[in-house]
Amino acid sequence: MRRDSMRSGKPRLADIAAAAGVSIATVSRVLADHPAITPETKIRVLALAEAQGYSADTSSKLPRKIRVRRPSRSSSVCVVMPVALTAGSPLANSFELNLLGGIGAAMRDHGVDFSVSSQSPFDDRSLIKFMAEHPYHGIIFVGQSQFHAGLNSLAGGPRPFVVWGVDAPDQKYCSVGSDNFEGSLRATRHLLELGRRRIAFVGQAAPITSAQTGLSQLAARVAGFKAAHAASGYAHGNVMMRPHGPGRNAGNDAVEELLDQAIAFDGLVTSSDYIAAGAIEALLRRGLAVPGDVSVIGYDDSEIADFIRPKLTSMRQDPILAGDLLVAKLLRLMTGHEVRSERLPTQITIRESCGGHQGQ
């Protein structure tokens, strides 16, 4: 670095421009928050400027609105949970509450406080209104399908956010989620390897009907279920979608319908452990043995999987790892860095409901 840069203790614009691979004029426009500069270039230049000395502590001469913030305990971070449709509905399902716990653990480790919003957006218009009215420094959305277009329009804007959900082809924002396709594929393949040939998938219809992505965690699991059948050479199994509501009731009702319609099945892949619990109750009530007559696999590997009788084989999602990644990516966005979407692997925990043994 030249002597004039060394004397000032800060890099010249030429130094930042050279490091970023852009012109000095571009750096000047970025530091002036010029609208003609793309968000990607702004993020890169600001990150390099901070790395070379223009930080939140040393950038007093820069416009306040483009200074790079460092997350701290004073940063206001919000977690937005799915909207509850009716009075008295729970804040979230079992996995989502465990995910909230994982987010909380990661926030604690980073020394950042957070809040959970009691006012959740439910479409693009309410999303834009929510973002305008609530001055959070960063936001984690648990769910996305009903306001995907709105999230895309806000990507790269002044309010950093990350999303728990799927990765849509046209997505411009960062999402973290499990590999739902692969998880359901492995669950179905496991039953096929056990010799089950008439397998049904039982899930719950989404509570929000205005999904925009064409993708969802549930849709990915159904696709994995069908792909496993196609690869095995066996016909696709039955897919039973029940109305949204308590998972236990959905699993119970689906099995009752299968049996009442005399649809033969010897295996069930379910979209949650609670649906699996209801399915097992219905099977036992109707005189069928689990796993003797029907093998059952749940999803999430939640706490109840070990308490159901017989104990439930389940596909495990890791809410602690998920929470840690969501928080880490949000905090990087809040300090001007780029982040990428990420899919997390799932693991099958074998228990008695498939004829296996306790443990992995």
Side-chain angles (χ1 to χ4, degrees), residues 11 13 15-31 33 36-54 62 66 68 156-157 332-340:
L13 296 186
D15 300 317
I16 300 172
V22 299
S23 67
I24 296 175
T26 296
V27 174
S28 296
R29 291 189 182 100
V30 169
L31 298 181
D33 200 23
I37 307 300
T38 65
E40 292 79 11
T41 299
K42 286 183 179 180
I43 289 172
R44 186 170 77 254
V45 171
L46 286 173
L48 287 167
E50 181 192 28
Q52 295 194 30
Y54 285 103
L62 298 178
I66 59 105
V68 179
R332 283 187 62 79
L333 280 174
M334 291 170 64
T335 52
H337 295 84
E338 295 184 25
V339 296
R340 295 179 180 272

Side-chain angles (χ1 to χ4, degrees), residues 232-273:
S232 71
Y234 295 101
H236 290 177
N238 291 285
V239 176
M240 304 289 292
M241 291 297 170
R242 309 306 303 167
H244 184 73
R248 207 163 190 144
N249 292 348
N252 195 312
D253 293 346
V255 167
E256 291 286 355
E257 184 173 336
L258 286 167
L259 295 174
D260 289 345
Q261 294 181 9
I263 298 174
F265 63 98
D266 57 9
L268 290 177
V269 175
T270 67
S271 64
S272 78
D273 292 343

Side-chain angles (χ1 to χ4, degrees), residues 20-310:
V22 299
S23 67
I24 296 175
T26 296
V27 174
S28 296
R29 291 189 182 100
V30 169
L31 298 181
D33 200 23
H34 195 285
I37 307 300
T38 65
E40 292 79 11
T41 299
K42 286 183 179 180
I43 289 172
R44 186 170 77 254
V45 171
L46 286 173
L48 287 167
E50 181 192 28
Q52 295 194 30
Y54 285 103
S55 69
D57 298 323
T58 62
S59 60
S60 59
K61 294 183 180 180
L62 298 178
R64 184 174 185 179
K65 62 182 177 181
I66 59 105
R67 295 178 196 171
V68 179
R69 291 188 297 266
R70 296 182 184 276
S72 66
R73 287 190 178 274
S74 62
S75 295
S76 176
V77 175
C78 176
V79 178
V80 179
M81 303 298 288
V83 60
L85 296 183
T86 59
S89 297
L91 174 69
N93 63 36
S94 175
F95 173 76
E96 289 161 347
L97 290 176
N98 284 333
L99 177 59
L100 182 60
I103 291 170
M107 290 289 191
R108 177 195 60 207
D109 293 343
H110 286 281
V112 178
D113 292 330
F114 75 104
S115 60
V116 179
S117 173
S118 61
Q119 299 179 18
S120 299
F122 55 87
D123 60 12
D124 290 338
R125 178 178 295 182
S126 60
L127 171 69
I128 301 300
K129 185 173 183 290
F130 176 88
M131 294 291 267
E133 292 180 349
H134 297 276
Y136 300 111
H137 296 130
I139 299 176
I140 297 175
F141 290 99
V142 180
Q144 78 196 104
S145 60
Q146 68 270 29
F147 38 77
H148 169 65
L151 291 171
N152 259 353
S153 71
L154 294 166
R159 191 74 52 79
F161 66 89
V162 295
V163 177
W164 172 261
V166 301
D167 192 9
D170 64 338
Q171 188 167 302
K172 299 178 182 178
Y173 53 87
C174 174
S175 68
V176 174
S178 293
D179 191 337
N180 290 283
F181 177 89
E182 181 66 22
S184 188
L185 179 79
R186 292 179 62 193
T188 309
R189 186 180 293 160
H190 180 71
L191 292 185
L192 290 167
E193 290 171 352
L194 290 175
R196 303 302 183 177
R197 296 294 178 263
R198 299 179 302 278
I199 305 171
F201 181 96
V202 177
Q204 284 180 294
I208 300 295
T209 58
S210 58
Q212 301 172 353
T213 62
L215 296 173
S216 68
Q217 296 182 84
L218 180 60
R221 293 176 195 177
V222 172
F225 171 78
K226 292 182 176 180
H229 279 87
S232 71
Y234 295 101
H236 290 177
N238 291 285
V239 176
M240 304 289 292
M241 291 297 170
R242 309 306 303 167
H244 184 73
R248 207 163 190 144
N249 292 348
N252 195 312
D253 293 346
V255 167
E256 291 286 355
E257 184 173 336
L258 286 167
L259 295 174
D260 289 345
Q261 294 181 9
I263 298 174
F265 63 98
D266 57 9
L268 290 177
V269 175
T270 67
S271 64
S272 78
D273 292 343
Y274 281 88
I275 290 179
I280 289 174
E281 286 181 356
L283 289 167
L284 298 179
R285 187 173 60 250
R286 296 288 289 263
L288 295 171
V290 179
D293 297 312
V294 182
S295 292
V296 181
I297 293 185
Y299 213 103
D300 294 337
D301 198 22
S302 60
E303 292 83 355
I304 69 164
D306 213 31
F307 292 98
I308 298 171
R309 293 296 181 268

